[in-house]
Coordinates of all heavy atoms in Angstrom, one line a residue:
C18 N 80.8 126.8 122.2 CA 80.6 125.7 123.2 C 81.9 125.6 124.1 O 83.0 125.7 123.6 CB 80.4 124.3 122.5 SG 79.0 124.3 121.4
L19 N 81.7 125.3 125.3 CA 82.8 125.1 126.3 C 82.9 123.7 126.7 O 81.8 123.1 127.2 CB 82.6 126.1 127.4 CG 83.7 126.1 128.5 CD1 84.9 126.6 127.9 CD2 83.3 126.9 129.7
D20 N 84.0 122.9 126.4 CA 84.0 121.6 126.7 C 84.5 121.4 128.1 O 84.7 122.3 128.9 CB 84.9 120.8 125.7 CG 86.4 121.1 125.8 OD1 86.8 121.7 126.8 OD2 87.2 120.8 124.8
G21 N 84.5 120.0 128.6 CA 84.8 119.7 129.9 C 86.3 120.1 130.3 O 86.6 120.1 131.5
E22 N 87.1 120.3 129.4 CA 88.6 120.8 129.6 C 88.7 122.3 129.6 O 89.8 122.8 129.7 CB 89.5 120.1 128.6 CG 89.5 118.6 128.6 CD 90.4 118.0 127.5 OE1 90.9 118.8 126.8 OE2 90.5 116.7 127.5
G23 N 87.6 123.1 129.4 CA 87.7 124.4 129.4 C 88.1 125.0 128.1 O 88.3 126.3 128.0
K24 N 88.0 124.2 127.0 CA 88.4 124.7 125.7 C 87.1 125.2 125.0 O 86.0 124.6 125.2 CB 89.0 123.6 124.9 CG 90.4 123.1 125.4 CD 91.0 122.1 124.4 CE 92.2 121.6 125.1 NZ 92.7 120.4 124.4
V25 N 87.2 126.3 124.2 CA 86.1 126.8 123.5 C 86.1 126.3 122.1 O 87.2 126.2 121.5 CB 86.1 128.4 123.5 CG1 85.0 128.9 122.7 CG2 86.0 128.9 124.9
H26 N 85.0 125.9 121.6 CA 84.8 125.3 120.2 C 83.7 126.2 119.5 O 82.7 126.5 120.1 CB 84.4 123.9 120.3 CG 85.4 123.0 120.9 ND1 86.5 122.4 120.3 CD2 85.5 122.6 122.2 CE1 87.2 121.8 121.1 NE2 86.6 121.9 122.4
E27 N 84.0 126.5 118.2 CA 83.0 127.2 117.4 C 81.8 126.3 117.1 O 82.0 125.1 117.0 CB 83.6 127.6 116.2 CG 84.7 128.7 116.3 CD 85.4 129.2 115.0 OE1 84.7 128.9 113.9 OE2 86.4 129.7 115.0
F28 N 80.6 126.9 116.8 CA 79.5 126.3 116.3 C 79.9 125.6 115.1 O 80.6 126.0 114.2 CB 78.3 127.1 116.2 CG 77.8 127.8 117.4 CD1 77.6 129.1 117.6 CD2 77.4 127.0 118.5 CE1 77.0 129.7 118.7 CE2 76.8 127.5 119.6 CZ 76.7 128.9 119.8
H29 N 79.2 124.3 114.9 CA 79.5 123.5 113.7 C 80.8 123.0 113.5 O 81.3 122.6 112.4 CB 79.1 124.3 112.4 CG 77.7 125.0 112.5 ND1 76.5 124.2 112.7 CD2 77.3 126.2 112.4 CE1 75.5 125.0 112.7 NE2 76.0 126.3 112.7
S30 N 81.6 122.9 114.7 CA 82.9 122.3 114.6 C 82.9 121.0 115.2 O 81.9 120.6 115.9 CB 84.0 123.2 115.4 OG 83.6 123.2 116.8
S31 N 83.9 120.2 114.9 CA 84.1 118.8 115.5 C 85.4 118.6 115.9 O 86.4 119.1 115.4 CB 83.5 117.7 114.5 OG 84.2 117.8 113.4
W32 N 85.7 117.6 116.8 CA 87.0 117.3 117.2 C 87.0 115.9 118.0 O 86.0 115.4 118.3 CB 87.6 118.3 118.2 CG 86.7 118.5 119.5 CD1 87.0 117.8 120.7 CD2 85.5 119.2 119.8 NE1 86.1 118.1 121.7 CE2 85.2 118.9 121.1 CE3 84.7 119.9 119.0 CZ2 84.0 119.5 121.6 CZ3 83.6 120.5 119.5 CH2 83.2 120.3 120.8
R33 N 88.2 115.4 118.2 CA 88.3 114.1 118.9 C 89.1 114.4 120.2 O 90.1 115.1 120.3 CB 89.1 113.1 118.1 CG 89.4 111.8 118.8 CD 89.9 110.6 118.0 NE 88.6 110.1 117.3 CZ 88.7 109.1 116.4 NH1 89.8 108.6 116.1 NH2 87.6 108.6 115.9
T34 N 88.5 113.9 121.3 CA 89.1 114.2 122.7 C 90.3 113.2 122.8 O 90.5 112.3 122.2 CB 88.1 113.9 123.7 OG1 87.8 112.6 123.8 CG2 86.9 114.8 123.5
D35 N 91.1 113.5 123.9 CA 92.2 112.7 124.3 C 91.8 111.2 124.7 O 92.6 110.3 124.5 CB 92.9 113.3 125.4 CG 93.7 114.6 125.1 OD1 93.9 114.8 123.8 OD2 94.1 115.3 126.0
D36 N 90.6 111.0 125.1 CA 90.1 109.7 125.4 C 89.3 109.1 124.3 O 88.4 108.2 124.5 CB 89.3 109.7 126.8 CG 88.2 110.7 126.8 OD1 88.0 111.4 125.8 OD2 87.4 110.5 127.8
C37 N 89.5 109.6 123.0 CA 89.0 109.0 121.8 C 87.4 109.1 121.7 O 86.8 108.2 121.1 CB 89.4 107.4 121.8 SG 91.2 107.3 121.6
N38 N 86.9 110.2 122.2 CA 85.5 110.5 121.8 C 85.4 111.5 120.7 O 86.3 112.4 120.6 CB 84.8 111.0 123.1 CG 84.5 110.0 124.1 OD1 84.0 108.9 123.8 ND2 84.8 110.3 125.4
D39 N 84.5 111.4 119.8 CA 84.2 112.3 118.8 C 83.1 113.3 119.1 O 82.0 112.7 119.5 CB 83.8 111.6 117.4 CG 85.0 110.8 116.8 OD1 86.1 111.2 117.0 OD2 84.7 109.8 116.2
C40 N 83.4 114.5 119.1 CA 82.5 115.5 119.6 C 82.2 116.6 118.5 O 83.0 116.8 117.7 CB 83.0 116.2 120.9 SG 83.4 115.1 122.3
S41 N 81.1 117.2 118.7 CA 80.6 118.3 117.8 C 79.9 119.3 118.7 O 79.3 119.0 119.7 CB 79.8 117.8 116.7 OG 78.6 117.3 117.1
C42 N 80.0 120.6 118.2 CA 79.4 121.7 118.8 C 78.3 122.3 117.9 O 78.5 122.5 116.7 CB 80.4 122.8 119.1 SG 79.7 124.3 119.6
S43 N 77.1 122.5 118.4 CA 76.0 123.1 117.7 C 75.3 124.1 118.7 O 75.7 124.2 119.9 CB 75.0 122.1 117.3 OG 74.2 121.6 118.4
R44 N 74.4 124.8 118.2 CA 73.7 125.8 119.1 C 73.0 125.1 120.2 O 72.7 125.7 121.3 CB 72.8 126.7 118.3 CG 73.5 127.6 117.3 CD 72.7 128.8 116.8 NE 73.5 129.6 115.9 CZ 74.4 130.5 116.2 NH1 74.7 130.7 117.4 NH2 75.0 131.1 115.2
A45 N 72.7 123.9 120.1 CA 72.0 123.0 121.1 C 73.0 122.6 122.2 O 72.7 122.1 123.3 CB 71.4 121.9 120.5
G46 N 74.3 122.7 121.9 CA 75.4 122.3 122.9 C 76.3 121.3 122.2 O 76.4 121.2 121.1
I47 N 77.0 120.6 123.1 CA 78.1 119.6 122.7 C 77.5 118.3 122.7 O 76.8 117.9 123.7 CB 79.3 119.6 123.6 CG1 80.0 121.0 123.4 CG2 80.3 118.6 123.3 CD1 81.2 121.2 124.3
S48 N 77.7 117.4 121.7 CA 77.3 116.1 121.7 C 78.6 115.2 121.5 O 79.4 115.6 120.6 CB 76.2 115.7 120.8 OG 76.7 115.5 119.5
C49 N 78.8 114.2 122.1 CA 79.9 113.3 122.0 C 79.6 111.8 122.0 O 78.5 111.4 122.5 CB 81.0 113.5 123.1 SG 81.6 115.1 123.3
C50 N 80.3 111.1 121.2 CA 80.2 109.6 121.2 C 81.5 108.9 121.0 O 82.5 109.6 120.6 CB 79.3 109.1 120.1 SG 79.7 109.5 118.4
T51 N 81.6 107.7 121.3 CA 82.9 107.0 121.2 C 83.3 107.0 119.7 O 82.5 106.8 118.8 CB 82.8 105.5 121.7 OG1 81.8 104.8 121.0 CG2 82.6 105.5 123.2
G52 N 84.6 107.2 119.5 CA 85.1 107.1 118.2 C 85.7 105.8 117.8 O 86.6 105.8 117.0
Y53 N 85.3 104.8 118.4 CA 85.9 103.5 118.2 C 84.9 102.4 118.4 O 83.9 102.6 119.0 CB 87.2 103.2 119.2 CG 86.7 103.4 120.6 CD1 86.4 102.5 121.4 CD2 86.9 104.6 121.2 CE1 86.0 102.6 122.7 CE2 86.6 104.9 122.5 CZ 86.1 103.9 123.2 OH 85.8 104.0 124.5
M54 N 85.2 101.1 117.8 CA 84.4 100.0 118.0 C 84.9 99.2 119.1 O 86.1 99.0 119.3 CB 84.4 99.1 116.7 CG 83.8 100.0 115.5 SD 82.1 100.4 115.6 CE 81.4 98.8 115.1
T55 N 84.0 98.5 119.8 CA 84.4 97.6 121.0 C 84.1 96.2 120.7 O 83.0 95.9 120.3 CB 83.7 98.0 122.3 OG1 83.9 99.4 122.6 CG2 84.1 97.3 123.5
P56 N 85.1 95.3 120.8 CA 84.8 93.9 120.5 C 83.9 93.2 121.6 O 84.2 93.4 122.8 CB 86.2 93.2 120.5 CG 87.1 94.1 121.4 CD 86.5 95.5 121.2
V57 N 82.9 92.5 121.2 CA 82.1 91.8 122.2 C 82.0 90.4 122.0 O 81.6 89.7 123.0 CB 80.7 92.5 122.2 CG1 80.7 93.9 122.6 CG2 80.0 92.5 120.8
D58 N 82.2 89.8 120.9 CA 82.0 88.4 120.6 C 83.3 87.8 120.2 O 83.7 87.8 119.0 CB 80.9 88.1 119.5 CG 80.6 86.7 119.3 OD1 81.1 85.9 120.2 OD2 79.9 86.4 118.4
Y59 N 84.1 87.3 121.3 CA 85.4 86.7 121.0 C 85.6 85.6 122.2 O 84.8 85.7 123.1 CB 86.5 87.7 120.9 CG 86.7 88.5 122.1 CD1 87.6 88.1 123.1 CD2 86.1 89.7 122.3 CE1 87.8 88.8 124.2 CE2 86.2 90.5 123.4 CZ 87.1 90.1 124.4 OH 87.3 90.8 125.6
D60 N 86.6 84.8 122.1 CA 86.9 83.9 123.1 C 87.5 84.5 124.3 O 88.7 84.7 124.4 CB 87.8 82.8 122.6 CG 88.1 81.7 123.5 OD1 87.8 81.7 124.7 OD2 88.6 80.6 123.0
K61 N 86.7 84.9 125.3 CA 87.1 85.6 126.4 C 88.0 84.7 127.4 O 88.7 85.3 128.2 CB 85.9 86.2 127.2 CG 85.3 87.3 126.4 CD 84.1 87.9 127.1 CE 83.5 89.1 126.4 NZ 82.9 88.7 125.1
E62 N 87.9 83.4 127.3 CA 88.7 82.5 128.1 C 90.1 82.6 127.6 O 91.1 82.6 128.4 CB 88.2 81.1 128.0 CG 86.8 80.9 128.5 CD 86.8 80.9 130.1 OE1 87.7 80.4 130.7 OE2 85.9 81.5 130.7
K63 N 90.4 82.6 126.4 CA 91.6 82.5 125.7 C 92.3 83.8 125.4 O 93.5 84.0 125.4 CB 91.6 81.6 124.4 CG 92.9 81.4 123.7 CD 92.6 80.6 122.5 CE 93.8 80.4 121.6 NZ 93.6 79.8 120.4
C64 N 91.4 84.9 125.2 CA 91.8 86.1 124.6 C 91.4 87.3 125.5 O 90.6 87.2 126.4 CB 91.2 86.3 123.3 SG 91.5 85.0 122.1
E65 N 92.1 88.5 125.2 CA 91.8 89.7 125.9 C 91.9 90.8 124.9 O 92.6 90.7 124.0 CB 92.7 90.0 127.2 CG 94.2 90.1 126.6 CD 95.1 90.3 127.9 OE1 94.7 90.8 129.0 OE2 96.3 89.9 127.8
C66 N 91.2 91.9 125.1 CA 91.2 93.0 124.3 C 92.0 94.1 125.0 O 92.0 94.3 126.2 CB 89.8 93.5 123.9 SG 88.8 94.1 125.3
I67 N 92.9 94.7 124.1 CA 93.7 95.8 124.7 C 93.4 97.1 123.8 O 93.3 97.0 122.5 CB 95.3 95.4 124.4 CG1 95.6 94.1 125.2 CG2 96.2 96.4 124.7 CD1 96.8 93.5 124.9
F68 N 93.2 98.2 124.5 CA 92.9 99.4 123.9 C 94.2 100.3 123.6 O 95.1 100.4 124.4 CB 92.0 100.3 124.7 CG 91.4 101.5 124.0 CD1 90.5 101.3 123.0 CD2 91.8 102.8 124.4 CE1 90.0 102.4 122.4 CE2 91.4 103.9 123.7 CZ 90.5 103.7 122.7
N69 N 94.2 100.8 122.3 CA 95.4 101.6 121.9 C 95.0 103.0 121.8 O 94.2 103.4 120.9 CB 96.0 101.0 120.6 CG 97.2 101.9 120.1 OD1 97.5 103.1 120.4 ND2 98.1 101.2 119.3
K70 N 95.4 103.8 122.7 CA 95.0 105.3 122.7 C 95.6 106.0 121.5 O 95.0 107.1 121.2 CB 95.3 106.1 124.1 CG 94.3 105.8 125.1 CD 94.6 106.5 126.4 CE 94.0 107.9 126.3 NZ 94.1 108.7 127.3
E71 N 96.7 105.6 121.0 CA 97.3 106.2 119.9 C 96.4 106.1 118.6 O 96.2 107.0 117.9 CB 98.7 105.7 119.5 CG 99.7 105.8 120.7 CD 100.1 107.3 120.8 OE1 100.4 107.9 119.8 OE2 100.2 107.7 121.9
T72 N 95.8 104.9 118.4 CA 95.0 104.6 117.2 C 93.4 104.7 117.5 O 92.7 104.6 116.6 CB 95.3 103.3 116.7 OG1 95.1 102.2 117.5 CG2 96.8 103.3 116.2
C73 N 93.1 104.8 118.8 CA 91.8 104.8 119.3 C 91.1 103.5 118.7 O 90.0 103.5 118.1 CB 91.0 106.0 118.7 SG 91.5 107.5 119.5
S74 N 91.7 102.4 118.9 CA 91.1 101.1 118.6 C 91.5 100.0 119.5 O 92.6 100.0 120.2 CB 91.6 100.7 117.1 OG 93.1 100.6 117.1
Y75 N 90.7 98.9 119.5 CA 90.9 97.7 120.3 C 91.7 96.7 119.4 O 91.5 96.6 118.2 CB 89.7 97.1 120.8 CG 89.1 97.8 122.1 CD1 88.1 98.6 122.0 CD2 89.8 97.5 123.3 CE1 87.7 99.3 123.2 CE2 89.3 98.0 124.5 CZ 88.2 98.8 124.4 OH 87.7 99.5 125.5
K76 N 92.5 95.9 120.0 CA 93.1 94.7 119.4 C 92.8 93.5 120.4 O 92.9 93.7 121.6 CB 94.6 94.9 119.3 CG 95.3 93.9 118.5 CD 96.8 94.3 118.3 CE 97.5 93.4 117.4 NZ 98.9 93.8 117.1
V77 N 92.4 92.5 119.8 CA 92.1 91.2 120.6 C 93.2 90.3 120.3 O 93.4 89.8 119.2 CB 90.7 90.7 120.3 CG1 90.4 89.5 121.1 CG2 89.6 91.7 120.5
V78 N 93.9 89.9 121.4 CA 95.0 88.9 121.3 C 95.0 87.9 122.3 O 94.1 88.0 123.3 CB 96.4 89.8 121.6 CG1 96.6 90.8 120.4 CG2 96.3 90.5 122.9
E79 N 95.7 86.8 122.1 CA 95.8 85.8 123.1 C 96.4 86.2 124.3 O 97.3 87.0 124.4 CB 96.6 84.6 122.5 CG 95.9 83.8 121.4 CD 96.6 82.6 121.0 OE1 97.7 82.2 121.6 OE2 96.3 82.0 119.9
K80 N 95.9 85.8 125.5 CA 96.3 86.2 126.8 C 97.8 85.8 127.0 O 98.6 86.5 127.6 CB 95.5 85.7 127.9 CG 94.1 86.2 128.0 CD 93.3 85.6 129.2 CE 91.9 86.1 129.2 NZ 91.1 85.5 130.2
D81 N 98.1 84.6 126.5 CA 99.5 84.1 126.7 C 100.5 84.5 125.7 O 101.7 84.3 125.9 CB 99.5 82.5 126.8 CG 98.6 81.9 127.9 OD1 98.5 82.7 128.9 OD2 98.1 80.9 127.8
D82 N 100.0 85.1 124.5 CA 100.9 85.5 123.5 C 100.2 86.6 122.8 O 99.5 86.5 121.8 CB 101.2 84.3 122.6 CG 102.2 84.7 121.5 OD1 102.6 85.9 121.3 OD2 102.6 83.8 120.7
H83 N 100.7 87.9 123.1 CA 100.1 89.1 122.6 C 100.4 89.3 121.1 O 99.8 90.2 120.4 CB 100.5 90.3 123.3 CG 99.8 90.5 124.7 ND1 99.8 91.5 125.5 CD2 98.9 89.6 125.3 CE1 99.1 91.4 126.6 NE2 98.4 90.2 126.5
S84 N 101.3 88.5 120.5 CA 101.6 88.6 119.1 C 100.6 87.9 118.2 O 100.6 88.0 117.1 CB 103.0 88.0 118.9 OG 103.1 86.7 119.0
K85 N 99.7 87.0 118.9 CA 98.7 86.4 118.1 C 97.3 87.0 118.3 O 96.9 87.1 119.5 CB 98.6 84.9 118.6 CG 100.0 84.1 118.3 CD 99.8 82.7 118.8 CE 101.1 81.9 118.4 NZ 101.0 80.6 119.0
E86 N 96.8 87.5 117.2 CA 95.4 88.0 117.3 C 94.4 87.0 117.4 O 94.5 85.9 116.8 CB 95.2 88.9 116.1 CG 96.0 90.2 116.2 CD 95.6 91.3 115.2 OE1 94.3 91.5 115.0 OE2 96.5 91.9 114.6
C87 N 93.2 87.3 118.0 CA 92.1 86.4 118.1 C 91.0 86.9 117.1 O 90.7 88.0 116.9 CB 91.5 86.3 119.4 SG 92.7 85.7 120.7
P88 N 90.2 86.0 116.6 CA 89.0 86.3 115.7 C 88.0 87.0 116.6 O 87.7 86.6 117.7 CB 88.6 85.0 115.1 CG 89.1 84.0 115.9 CD 90.4 84.5 116.6
V89 N 87.4 88.0 116.1 CA 86.3 88.7 116.7 C 85.1 88.6 115.9 O 85.1 88.9 114.6 CB 86.6 90.2 117.0 CG1 85.4 90.9 117.6 CG2 87.9 90.3 117.8
H90 N 84.0 88.1 116.4 CA 82.8 87.9 115.6 C 81.8 89.1 115.6 O 80.9 89.0 114.8 CB 82.2 86.5 116.0 CG 83.1 85.4 116.0 ND1 83.6 84.9 114.8 CD2 83.7 84.7 117.0 CE1 84.4 83.9 115.1 NE2 84.5 83.8 116.5
S91 N 81.9 89.9 116.5 CA 80.9 91.0 116.7 C 81.6 92.2 117.4 O 82.3 92.0 118.3 CB 79.7 90.6 117.4 OG 78.7 91.5 117.5
W92 N 81.3 93.4 116.8 CA 81.8 94.7 117.4 C 80.6 95.6 117.7 O 79.7 95.5 116.9 CB 82.7 95.3 116.5 CG 84.1 94.6 116.1 CD1 84.1 93.5 115.2 CD2 85.3 94.8 116.6 NE1 85.4 93.1 115.1 CE2 86.2 93.9 116.0 CE3 85.8 95.7 117.5 CZ2 87.6 93.8 116.2 CZ3 87.2 95.7 117.7 CH2 88.1 94.7 117.1
V93 N 80.7 96.5 118.6 CA 79.7 97.5 118.9 C 80.4 98.8 119.0 O 81.6 98.9 119.3 CB 78.9 97.3 120.2 CG1 78.0 96.0 120.1 CG2 79.7 97.2 121.4
G94 N 79.7 99.8 118.7 CA 80.3 101.2 118.8 C 79.4 102.4 118.2 O 78.3 102.1 117.7

């Protein structure tokens, strides 16, 4: 399989892209999906979500104080 960056991958191999997608190669081609969960149910007035590309994860924190995490009631991914 040839990915979007021009790299060749063997059949039945899998990898994580720089933008945190989990991909796999089969004889049918490449399939990719997000390798992280996205917060959807939290206090959007008081809080904001910040994506960390190093850990491929979101953190939900208070807008006025990023050291304080906010509760998240639902995630999708």
Side-chain angles (χ1 to χ4, degrees):
C18 299
L19 185 65
D20 70 16
E22 297 176 0
K24 295 179 186 172
V25 177
H26 299 273
E27 292 183 16
F28 291 128
H29 310 295
S30 65
S31 59
W32 66 96
R33 178 165 277 181
T34 66
D35 290 341
D36 57 353
C37 298
N38 287 313
D39 290 330
C40 299
S41 62
C42 170
S43 71
R44 294 200 182 276
I47 293 178
S48 82
C49 297
C50 61
T51 57
Y53 53 88
M54 301 292 281
T55 303
V57 291
D58 185 10
Y59 62 92
D60 185 346
K61 292 179 176 69
E62 295 288 317
K63 181 180 175 185
C64 306
E65 64 183 334
C66 62
I67 298 172
F68 189 71
N69 181 334
K70 278 187 84 169
E71 297 289 317
T72 62
C73 292
S74 63
Y75 278 101
K76 188 174 190 177
V77 180
V78 294
E79 290 186 8
K80 290 179 181 178
D81 297 333
D82 185 352
H83 285 187
S84 69
K85 294 181 182 176
E86 288 193 45
C87 296
V89 178
H90 305 291
S91 184
W92 298 77
V93 296

